[in-house]
Amino acid sequence: MNRPALKLFVAVVLLFLALPILLIVVVSFSSAAYLTFPPPSFGLRWYRAYVASSEWLAATGLSLSVATAVVILSTSLGTLAALGLARLPGGARAAVAALILSPLIVPGIVVAIGIYYAFSRYGLIGTPIGLVLAHTCLAVPFVVTSVAASLAGFDRRLEQAARSLGATPWGAFRQVTLPLIRSGVLVGALFAFITSFDELIVALFLSGSGAVTLPRQMWDDLRFAIDPTIAAVSTLTIGLTALLLGGAHLLRNRSARA
Amino acid sequence: MDGTQAALPSAAQLPGRGAKISLVDLEKRFEGVGAVRGISLEIGSGEFLTLLGPSGSGKTTTLMMIAGFETPTDGDIAIDGHSVIGLPPHKRNIGMVFQNYALFPHLTVAENIGFPLKQRGVDRATRTRMVADSLAMVRLPGYEARYPRQLSGGQQQRVALARAIVFQPRLLLMDEPLGALDKQLRESLQLEMRRLHADLGITFVYVTHDQEEALTMSDRIAVVNEGRIAQLGRPEELYDRPSSRFVASFIGESNFLSGVVRGMEEGLVVADCSGTTVHALAAEPLLIGTEVTLTTRPERMRFADTAFPLTGRQNRVRATVTEAMFAGERCRYLLRGEDGAAIVLKEPSGAGTRRRAVGEATEIAWSVADTVVV
Amino acid sequence: MSDAAVITDIPLVRTFPVRPFRHTGAVLLVGPLVLFMVVFYALPVLAMLARSVTEPSLSLANFTRLAHDSVFLHVFGTTLRTAVAVTVGTLLLGYPVALAMSRMRPNAAKLVLVIVLLPFWTSILVRSYAWMVLLGRHGLINEALLAAGVLDTPLRLLNTPIAVHVAMIHIMLPYMILPLSSVLRQIDAALPRAAASLGATQWGVFRQVVLPLSMPGVVAGTLLVFVLSLGFYITPALVGGPRDLMLSQLIAQQVDLLNWSYAACLSATLLAATLLLLALCQMVPGVRGAFRLGVR
């Protein structure tokens, strides 16, 4: 394939990738009462509709608080585990890593119905706690890989040096190790947030009627009535995700320079 | 094979096994910055020419333009009298050895060497025979089935060489081919490349930043600096008659004395170096009062009282020993002239020499014939 | 210290079982998470899967029955067909992009990477919604084709296999491009040059050098996309037709019908297929690295 043809092909594929998403953003600013393209005029009509809807706001609030709880739980458990993982002997390390990383591989529906089956017996369906517990399992792999990656570049001798200079094990961790892996921890926390905030399949089974998350609300909306409010909500989530990822990118660059 | 007709001929087809190359006012600018700034060079059939220069001097860019990987911004490249500008690399029929060999990791040694033959539509049986022949030529017979990663650095080098000559190109380009090898291996491969050059009779253009390598192997050397040829000549010429301070210091070690021209005498420049009169060879007559730099090699200098006298006319200066280092075959002295200039002197070690002590006042001498104005 | 003390010290050190305690710290660090995941994730999933062999009685009857189950066979066929179509589609669209990226200047390549990652990090729900908007009966594509006079009546695009394929290719493309471009970028730039200097044409350089050297990326990307496609649920549920269920949809449907043993049996099959393919992937030399880079 020669160069101009290759370039054209690549441009078309990139348009294919980007256009549907840009389309949603454009539609969300439409002032029309129904979906038309191009919009007759632009306005914040659908954002106002979103803000005026108690359903949407409740779902957003729930998603934000579940995601926050997931971040706290998965980041603390995941960071400790990543630190311990590096010190485990090979065989045990492989087994533990397989368990921790498996949610990345096991099909979402299998995880969802497995958890649904167990949680229904403990009355966790339709409760935010059930969602937090399940989403934490899905978010942990991102925390562990991110922290492990920052630990891979960490020289264990620094910790030993701190100990030889009189630091207690906890002091060495807090004053030497933690500052050096901090950006890895933060990046992991951001991914954990996005994982929970975007999660749908588990939420479909666990949220019942009492704990409707934002993706679940969007799903219900898409199945029954498509109105452009969902475009506004989508645009907001795209914006939030982009913001968080931009933050993660900056953090990574900073840690790469440090 | 769409391009065999248009491609340059191979060694078997033309009289004189090596290609003649002429570079005419060759220029290459990258985003406005000149990497090569006007190189003109005639390379004879069967010559071993080395482009020698520091990194960033433009020597590799020049080689890449000959190979066809870079397009000159200006100027012309002709091979055997035909301009090759616009001819893609695969139609130039030029052998090339790359810096880190660029052996295809997914192909065996035989497949690597057979690669250019396959492109040229050579049948399998002939390919097998030619691969075996060229492996024999680089002294690696029987290595056909190995993969590049199973070979040592020196063996990879030989395979790269075999691959570049198996299709009988009339020109072989080499880009720092020995750079990744250790000193001993490098020396033995240098000898081997000279032998190969003599056997094949094709033209070699060799790029290196290693002056010793250039001096040992080349018929002629083009010293390249800042995109231009600083000096072109046989190795002895470059070493004994450097034309500039850059060449004098880039090739070998040199002492520099600054002086003022007092006159000309029997074709020699007579210069005053801080009160001492020094005679030197000059390419052209110089005006009285001109400030000049004179250069001479450390190993051409002697202590004036040594048992090995110099022949012919001599220059002499007084100096004090500031440092003495024994380095096996020779002794290396650092001296300070009366004007404060640092001078390096290398004396062969042996029974006839006496170790000088630091602080010893002495006189050093060297032949006028070994003194050059740069 | 006296000799006696030294002598008594040695057996003390020897007899104390040091090894089991050497990793105490590590176990304490890893323990909480492992416990958490076992209780809230691993045991629930395993208990659910176990119902495939324990109900109605302890046997593999549920699995042997699958071989003659026409609903399952139809759904499994649809799932495989979809995964193959999506894999082929992403490979054909993604390879040229990855190739172009590997040849670009760093800044241009970064821009392309952002465009590739944009959908990667947009929720699947939002992307599926975008395709509903595009492909609907009154969606953009139909409206545009009607307005241009190409069509008289709108095409049925949404809720067809084509819609599923297109939307899933859109979602899976980054998973193909990332491992491909990481492998292509690692190819020594001197190799294509060497091939050209040895007489290979542009196409020859690609076919004989670049393509074979990028095979680990092709294998990694293909398996990754294929495996992930097998488990798709949201996109086919939103843009697919009711008659072309994927395996995940069938599982969800059976759970709704409280047909747990059947759902568990299907889940076990889906999981087994996934793990089998991943194990296969690990066996191909050079793929592991590309695979890891692709996921991150």
Side-chain angles (χ1 to χ4, degrees), chain B residues 64 69 89-90 94 98 102-106 115-116 119-120 163, chain C residues 105 190-191 193-201 208-209 212-213:
Chain B
M64 289 299 170
F69 296 118
H90 67 273
I94 295 173
F98 289 78
L103 294 178
F104 304 124
H106 60 301
F115 190 94
Q119 312 309 312
R120 288 162 175 78
R163 186 178 70 174
Chain C
R105 289 196 199 126
L191 295 177
R193 286 188 157 193
S197 87
L198 295 169
T201 59
Q208 297 175 73
V209 177
L213 286 174

Side-chain angles (χ1 to χ4, degrees), chain B residues 34-231:
Chain B
V36 173
R37 305 193 287 182
I39 284 189
S40 293
L41 185 58
E42 295 287 330
I43 305 170
S45 169
E47 188 175 12
F48 192 133
L49 181 115
T50 298
L51 296 170
L52 171 68
S55 61
S57 60
K59 56 188 194 304
T60 296
T61 308
T62 306
L63 197 76
M64 289 299 170
M65 286 193 283
I66 300 174
F69 296 118
E70 302 284 359
T71 312
T73 317
D74 210 346
D76 192 25
I77 300 168
I79 299 181
D80 288 323
H82 302 286
S83 172
V84 294
I85 304 291
L87 198 61
H90 67 273
K91 293 186 183 169
R92 293 199 180 191
N93 216 26
I94 295 173
M96 179 146 181
V97 178
F98 289 78
Q99 201 157 16
N100 290 309
Y101 322 131
L103 294 178
F104 304 124
H106 60 301
L107 302 181
T108 62
V109 166
E111 286 164 342
N112 260 286
I113 300 174
F115 190 94
L117 302 174
K118 204 171 155 191
Q119 312 309 312
R120 288 162 175 78
V122 177
D123 66 82
R124 185 181 294 271
T126 318
R127 244 165 34 211
T128 310
R129 188 176 46 75
M130 288 174 83
V131 166
D133 286 353
S134 71
L135 271 176
M137 190 154 234
V138 296
R139 302 185 179 177
L140 275 181
Y143 277 71
E144 279 92 343
R146 308 267 189 110
Y147 279 92
R149 62 174 176 277
Q150 298 169 314
L151 303 178
S152 71
Q155 290 169 336
Q156 290 184 21
Q157 219 291 314
R158 286 157 197 258
V159 173
L161 208 51
R163 186 178 70 174
I165 58 174
V166 70
F167 58 102
Q168 301 178 324
R170 291 165 48 78
L171 169 61
L172 182 62
L173 306 178
M174 287 182 272
D175 184 11
E176 309 251 9
L178 305 179
L181 303 174
D182 64 53
K183 194 171 153 56
Q184 238 172 1
L185 201 54
R186 219 157 52 216
E187 280 169 5
S188 83
L189 277 165
Q190 281 170 12
L191 282 176
E192 202 141 321
M193 281 200 217
R194 284 262 12 152
R195 177 185 60 81
L196 210 58
H197 177 244
D199 286 356
L200 294 171
I202 65 174
T203 311
F204 276 33
V205 177
Y206 192 97
V207 160
T208 183
H209 66 272
D210 182 337
Q211 42 109 1
E212 215 175 292
E213 200 168 288
L215 292 173
T216 3
M217 299 174 71
S218 325
D219 293 329
R220 279 194 308 161
I221 299 172
V223 182
V224 183
N225 188 34
E226 295 180 343
R228 296 193 179 86
I229 294 182
Q231 193 175 354

